[in-house]
Amino acid sequence: MRKRIIYRTYDGGVAVITPAPGCGLTLEEIAAKDVPTGKPYRILDASELPADREFRAAWTVDEADLTDGVGA
């Protein structure tokens, strides 16, 4: 499975982190390092994201769904 980390940006959009294969860090370690401090995030399978990236700037996520952790 291809995993992604998502969080809400300060302007309400959605940021997507794509971990590099073989980086040696767990998804939780990547999130702690790369998600801004205090921002809640969710780890999900890439197939859960919209396939059409044309309107990616309009993607939204409910903060209540970001329950996998908080950026360090």
Side-chain angles (χ1 to χ4, degrees):
M1 281 193 221
R2 301 170 306 142
K3 296 292 186 179
R4 302 292 185 261
I5 302 164
I6 63 168
Y7 64 91
R8 282 183 65 177
T9 61
Y10 291 106
D11 64 0
V14 179
V16 179
I17 298 172
T18 303
C23 76
L25 299 174
T26 67
L27 291 168
E28 291 77 12
E29 289 169 332
I30 294 168
K33 176 176 78 67
D34 293 336
V35 174
T37 302
K39 286 288 211 178
Y41 65 84
R42 179 173 170 210
I43 298 170
L44 48 78
D45 191 83
S47 66
E48 295 180 66
L49 295 172
D52 184 358
R53 296 172 51 104
E54 183 175 352
F55 299 105
R56 184 171 175 178
W59 291 358
T60 61
V61 64
D62 188 333
E63 196 149 334
D65 293 330
L66 304 174
T67 58
D68 290 332
V70 178

